[in-house]
């Protein structure tokens, strides 16, 4: 019971924080889109796509590696093993963080000239390079807090970091009042760098405090060759992520080129890229905050269960997570598809975003399921398999973007997203089901949620129409989404989709079903 309570409290805390941060971040994204414009947002996205590869080199698998080593030390209750793992993890993070910093700073001129073909990105890349060592160590410290299941400290860091970043960025934009896209991007990136320094300092202070107040009982000698164990987990992950991140970066660089070849001018290509990646995708991924919070907690849970040989528990939880994820994601798909126009106008005041929301909404169940399954595979020490699948996904994306975008434009890119996400989800689900021998019902996981979603949306629209509720567009949107969500949950409970899987999940976690609601 205590184990379940801790899991639920951590998940709820992470969910509240993630929803708050994503809401604020989306509002901030709207503010930035107003400052930069669609073309400026596209340029900023290009800069961040190159920086994303530098972040991959800087972190080099340290987050997951730290989480796994600390979870194993926690399962054995060995304090000396835990401290040894953290010392080696921080050294590893510093080595790769400074290496990535030097590489990005040295290669920034070549990247701006030959890769991005835009000299406005030069100073931005050099400025971003400075933040990499701090970002790398922070990633390792966050892995520690996830492993010991004291995620409140991670939440405190993330929320305060986001507030700090937005405050500094807004002040910089107001004080310097940039009149061109390059200067505006520099103000935003400077705020990001200062926020990374703040996040590093706060995380380190919390880690030192945590080790003083939460020592483990056993202080036997740690297992030998800790550095070898760490590198044995981290290096394969790092090499795999380098390949995947490099392919993803190439894909994002090919998109504007392909759009230009399809007939768009330079600013038009950047604008289309900015609308899809800077406006539509954040809305599509916004509800994933609920899912990500609990999925992140599944990694140490599955690692501990695997260490203790609790195969029945793993099988039961995996099956329930898949069914609940599908029910949640199908509900999100229905809401975004049916209310795409109202959402686009309310958030961005841009009708063009609605078209992309409608196009991408059916992909939500596939994306969310793949996300949840990837976390479970990581907990089962299958991170290398996940990375191989992700590399295949990225390689196919690059090839299809290169072939299809010059001829079909953005419609070709939407097809690429659908094809690669489906391939990725298929291989990930196949591996999980084969490993855990879990059974998933298509009726409970797909058919019932689809029927519930269609029924809930239809009834909510009819109720709003026949009741003649007089309110503005904003209130109408919130009323319809709220009523649809309530009806959807009621229908799922009536169809036993949530009750059956909630009962199975709780029984697997704590050994019995603690709530009468699930009986």
């Amino acid at each position: 019971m205590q184990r379940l309570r801790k899991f639920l409290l951590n998940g709820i805390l992470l969910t509240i924080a993630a929803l708050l941060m994503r809401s604020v971040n989306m509002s901030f994204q709207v503010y930035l889109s107003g400052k930069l414009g669609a073309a400026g947002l596209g340029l900023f996205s290009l800069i961040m796509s190159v920086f994303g590869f530098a972040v991959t080199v800087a972190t080099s698998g340290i987050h997951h590696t730290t989480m796994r080593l600390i979870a194993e030390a926690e399962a054995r209750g060995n304090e000396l093993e835990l401290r040894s793992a953290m010392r080696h993890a921080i050294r590893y993070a510093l080595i790769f963080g400074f290496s990535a910093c030097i590489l990005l700073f040295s290669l920034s001129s070549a990247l701006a000239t030959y890769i991005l073909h835009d000299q406005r990105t030069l100073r931005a890349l050099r400025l971003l390079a400075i933040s990499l060592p701090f970002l790398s160590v922070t990633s390792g410290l966050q892995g520690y807090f996830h492993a010991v299941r004291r995620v409140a400290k991670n939440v405190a860091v993330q929320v305060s970091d986001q507030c700090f970043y937005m405050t500094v960025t807004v002040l910089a934009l107001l004080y310097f009042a940039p009149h061109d896209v390059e200067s505006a991007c520099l103000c935003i990136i400077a705020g990001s760098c200062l926020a990374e320094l703040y996040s590093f300092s706060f995380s380190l202070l919390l880690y030192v405090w945590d080790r003083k107040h939460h020592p483990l009982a056993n202080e036997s000698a740690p297992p030998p060759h800790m550095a070898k164990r760490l590198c044995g987990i981290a290096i394969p992950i790092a090499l795999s992520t380098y390949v995947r991140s490099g392919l993803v970066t190439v894909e994002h660089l090919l998109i504007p080129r392909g759009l230009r070849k399809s007939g768009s001018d330079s600013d038009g290509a950047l604008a289309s890229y900015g609308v899809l990646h800077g406006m539509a995708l954040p809305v599509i991924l916004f509800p994933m905050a609920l899912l990500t919070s609990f999925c992140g907690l599944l990694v140490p849970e599955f690692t501990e269960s695997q260490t203790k040989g609790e195969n029945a528990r793993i099988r039961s939880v995996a099956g329930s997570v898949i069914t609940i994820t599908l029910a949640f994601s199908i509900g999100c798909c229905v809401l975004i598809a049916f209310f795409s126009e109202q959402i686009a106008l309310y958030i961005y005041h841009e009708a063009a975003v609605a078209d992309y929301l409608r196009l991408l909404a059916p992909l939500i169940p596939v994306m969310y399921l793949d996300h949840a399954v990837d976390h479970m595979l990581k907990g089962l020490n299958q991170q290398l398999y996940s990375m191989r699948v992700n590399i295949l996904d990225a390689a196919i994306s690059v090839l299809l973007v290169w072939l299809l975008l010059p001829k079909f434009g953005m419609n070709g890119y939407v097809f690429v997203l659908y094809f690669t996400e489906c391939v990725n989800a298929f291989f990930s689900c196949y591996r999980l089901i084969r490993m855990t021998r879990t059974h998933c019902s298509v009726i409970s996981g797909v058919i019932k949620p689809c029927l519930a979603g269609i029924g809930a949306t239809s009834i909510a629209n009819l109720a709003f129409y026949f009741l003649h509720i007089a309110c503005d567009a904003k209130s109408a949107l919130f009323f319809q989404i709220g009523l649809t969500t309530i009806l959807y949950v009621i229908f799922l409970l009536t169809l036993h989709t949530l009750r059956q899987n909630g009962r199975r999940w709780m029984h697997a976690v704590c050994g019995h079903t603690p709530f009468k609601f699930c009986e």
Side-chain angles (χ1 to χ4, degrees):
M1 188 65 182
Q2 184 179 2
R3 189 177 190 176
L4 175 65
R5 187 182 297 113
K6 191 171 185 178
F7 183 91
L8 290 176
L9 287 175
N10 283 334
I12 291 169
L13 181 62
L14 281 173
T15 300
I16 293 172
L19 286 175
L20 176 64
M21 287 172 62
R22 290 208 180 191
S23 301
V24 174
N25 191 49
M26 187 171 292
S27 301
F28 190 60
Q29 193 78 2
V30 175
Y31 171 78
L32 292 182
S33 65
K35 288 289 184 180
L36 296 176
L41 199 59
L43 180 66
F44 181 72
S45 298
L46 276 182
I47 294 170
M48 297 311 291
S49 67
V50 173
F51 180 63
F53 181 74
V55 170
T56 301
V57 176
T59 53
S60 291
I62 189 60
H63 181 86
H64 175 74
T65 302
T66 305
M67 192 187 303
R68 183 161 189 90
L69 290 176
I70 299 304
E72 290 175 355
E74 278 269 305
R76 286 187 277 266
N78 192 335
E79 174 69 17
L80 294 180
E81 179 182 353
L82 188 150
R83 290 181 182 273
S84 175
M86 282 306 300
R87 281 197 304 271
H88 284 83
I90 290 175
R91 289 172 190 164
Y92 178 93
L94 286 172
I95 290 170
F96 280 89
F98 276 109
S99 299
C101 170
I102 294 168
L103 282 172
L104 181 59
F105 196 92
S106 303
L107 298 174
S108 56
S109 179
L111 289 170
T113 304
Y114 302 110
I115 303 298
L116 298 176
H117 301 286
D118 198 323
Q119 287 299 313
R120 294 177 296 177
T121 62
L122 174 59
R123 290 192 292 171
L125 291 173
R126 288 179 175 174
L127 189 58
L128 284 168
I130 300 172
S131 66
L132 289 172
F134 305 107
L135 186 150
S136 179
V137 176
T138 304
S139 179
L141 293 172
Q142 288 176 345
Y144 162 81
F145 288 121
H146 265 107
V148 297
R149 302 171 180 85
R150 287 188 281 278
V151 298
K153 295 178 174 62
N154 268 350
V155 169
V157 172
Q158 291 168 5
V159 172
S160 59
D161 169 72
Q162 190 72 10
C163 294
F164 183 88
Y165 164 60
M166 290 188 297
T167 303
V168 171
T169 301
V170 171
L171 289 175
L173 289 171
L174 291 175
Y175 181 77
F176 294 103
H179 297 291
D180 59 276
V181 171
E182 181 185 4
S183 300
C185 285
L186 285 173
C187 288
I188 297 168
I189 287 167
S192 175
C193 292
L194 290 173
E196 289 298 343
L197 176 59
Y198 166 83
S199 182
F200 160 75
S201 303
F202 194 14
S203 298
L204 189 60
L205 286 173
L206 288 176
Y207 167 73
V208 172
W209 185 91
D210 190 85
R211 290 319 315 141
K212 287 182 179 178
H213 291 81
H214 297 283
L216 299 179
N218 182 11
E219 292 197 358
S220 57
H225 311 299
M226 181 61 72
K228 185 177 179 181
R229 288 178 60 207
L230 185 146
C231 291
I233 299 173
I235 296 298
I237 296 175
L239 294 174
S240 301
T241 53
Y242 295 164
V243 176
R244 181 178 185 269
S245 184
L247 289 169
V248 169
T249 302
V250 171
E251 175 195 342
H252 285 280
L253 295 176
L254 285 174
I255 293 170
R257 292 185 185 183
L259 293 176
R260 285 194 293 269
K261 289 181 180 180
S262 69
S264 300
D265 58 21
S266 181
D267 284 344
L270 283 175
S272 298
Y273 179 71
V275 169
L276 179 65
H277 277 274
M279 296 181 180
L281 276 178
V283 176
I284 293 293
L285 298 177
F286 178 82
M288 197 183 282
L290 288 164
L291 186 65
T292 301
S293 303
F294 285 96
C295 287
L297 295 173
L298 287 174
V299 176
E301 290 290 337
F302 273 58
T303 298
E304 184 176 328
S305 294
Q306 188 181 46
T307 303
K308 295 179 178 179
E310 298 173 342
N311 296 325
R313 178 173 179 263
I314 291 173
R315 180 166 53 252
S316 181
V317 172
S320 296
V321 168
I322 290 174
T323 306
I324 292 171
T325 298
L326 285 171
F328 171 72
S329 59
I330 289 171
C332 295
C333 165
V334 170
L335 286 174
I336 291 176
F338 275 87
F339 301 109
S340 57
E341 189 171 348
Q342 298 96 312
I343 292 171
L345 291 174
Y346 171 65
I347 297 176
Y348 296 110
H349 307 290
E350 181 66 54
V353 180
D355 295 331
Y356 289 113
L357 292 179
R358 279 191 292 269
L359 280 172
L360 296 176
L363 193 58
I364 289 175
V366 180
M367 296 171 69
Y368 287 22
L369 178 63
D370 180 54
H371 184 73
V373 171
D374 273 354
H375 278 81
M376 289 187 279
L377 287 174
K378 287 176 182 177
L380 296 172
N381 201 26
Q382 293 296 305
Q383 61 274 1
L384 292 182
Y385 175 84
S386 294
M387 286 310 306
R388 286 196 294 269
V389 172
N390 289 333
I391 289 171
L392 175 65
D393 170 358
I396 294 173
S397 295
V398 170
L399 179 62
L400 292 180
V401 164
W402 180 61
L403 292 174
L404 298 181
L405 258 66
K407 187 174 182 180
F408 299 103
M410 288 305 297
N411 289 331
Y413 184 59
V414 171
F415 171 80
V416 173
L417 287 176
Y418 268 87
F419 184 79
T420 54
E421 286 291 343
C422 289
V423 168
N424 198 322
F426 171 78
F427 283 110
S428 297
C429 291
Y430 174 78
R431 182 72 164 194
L432 180 71
I433 292 171
R434 185 178 177 183
M435 281 193 65
T436 61
R437 304 295 179 187
T438 188
H439 300 285
C440 305
S441 170
V442 175
I443 295 176
S444 296
V446 178
I447 295 176
K448 288 182 179 179
C450 285
L451 293 174
I454 295 170
T457 309
S458 303
I459 293 174
N461 285 336
L462 288 172
F464 187 81
Y465 177 78
F466 285 112
L467 291 175
H468 301 291
I469 299 174
C471 57
D472 56 24
K474 175 182 174 181
S475 301
L477 176 61
F478 280 104
F479 173 81
Q480 288 179 289
I481 289 179
L483 180 58
T484 303
T485 303
I486 292 170
L487 289 172
Y488 181 68
V489 173
I490 291 173
F491 289 159
L492 286 179
L493 291 172
T494 303
L495 295 169
H496 304 292
T497 298
L498 289 182
R499 280 192 289 180
Q500 289 175 352
N501 287 280
R503 182 168 62 246
R504 283 175 56 203
W505 180 78
M506 290 180 188
H507 184 84
V509 170
C510 62
H512 63 285
T513 307
F515 301 122
K516 290 182 179 179
F517 168 76
C518 295
E519 295 293 347

